[in-house]
Amino acid sequence: MEQVVPVALFWEMVFCGAVFVLVYDWLRIIRRILPHGNLWCWVEDIFFLIGCFLVLFRQFYLRYNTGPRVIWYVALGVGIFLYWVAISRPLMAIISKGILSLKQTLKKIKKEHRMKREKSLRDT
């Protein structure tokens, strides 16, 4: 059985918090590319939260044989906040602009293709 090293576990929890937000950002990107209803988003969020719980359970009970402590939740919060401020917000802004630009380009191509098809049908 490993002995709990509080400082190492603190930084591990900071890292876990950042990874949780990174995974959730991927869910958000998928939702922007393939929009779907509120029910499906709710189901995705439930599975995401269950996955986070399982990771935390593994960390607290199975790996370190300790229960959750307030400091571990603080560390998770620190990791979430640092990733969100430093990486998530700027990255999601860039990705959102890219997705919007791609959608507009595809819409323009689709419109041009439709116009060419209608013109060819009229000419025949």
Side-chain angles (χ1 to χ4, degrees):
M1 181 168 30
E2 285 183 49
Q3 192 173 17
V4 177
V5 180
V7 175
L9 184 56
F10 178 85
W11 288 112
E12 198 170 317
M13 289 295 110
V14 169
F15 179 74
C16 280
V19 170
F20 290 164
V21 180
L22 174 69
V23 171
Y24 197 75
D25 277 349
W26 279 104
L27 274 175
R28 291 172 53 198
I29 290 168
I30 291 169
R31 289 176 184 169
R32 290 184 184 178
I33 293 172
L34 303 169
H36 41 279
N38 287 338
L39 178 64
W40 187 248
C41 290
W42 180 79
V43 170
E44 288 173 350
D45 287 345
I46 292 298
F47 280 114
F48 171 76
L49 291 173
I50 290 171
C52 291
F53 170 77
L54 292 174
V55 168
L56 292 177
F57 178 79
R58 181 184 167 275
Q59 292 297 102
F60 290 145
Y61 293 105
L62 300 181
R63 185 163 178 208
Y64 290 109
N65 197 25
T66 181
R69 307 277 191 260
V70 173
I71 191 69
W72 310 145
Y73 293 117
V74 169
L76 278 170
V78 167
I80 289 169
F81 179 75
L82 290 176
Y83 178 85
W84 182 68
V85 169
I87 298 171
S88 181
R89 285 179 31 191
L91 180 66
M92 291 306 288
I94 291 168
I95 290 172
S96 294
K97 287 179 185 177
I99 291 171
L100 181 62
S101 174
L102 181 64
K103 283 184 176 182
Q104 289 173 345
T105 303
L106 290 175
K107 190 181 284 187
K108 184 178 177 182
I109 291 171
K110 183 178 176 183
K111 182 179 178 181
E112 289 174 2
H113 179 69
R114 188 177 341 122
M115 290 174 58
K116 285 181 183 179
R117 189 171 27 137
E118 288 174 357
K119 183 179 178 187
S120 68
L121 289 174
R122 276 188 265 138
D123 290 343
T124 57

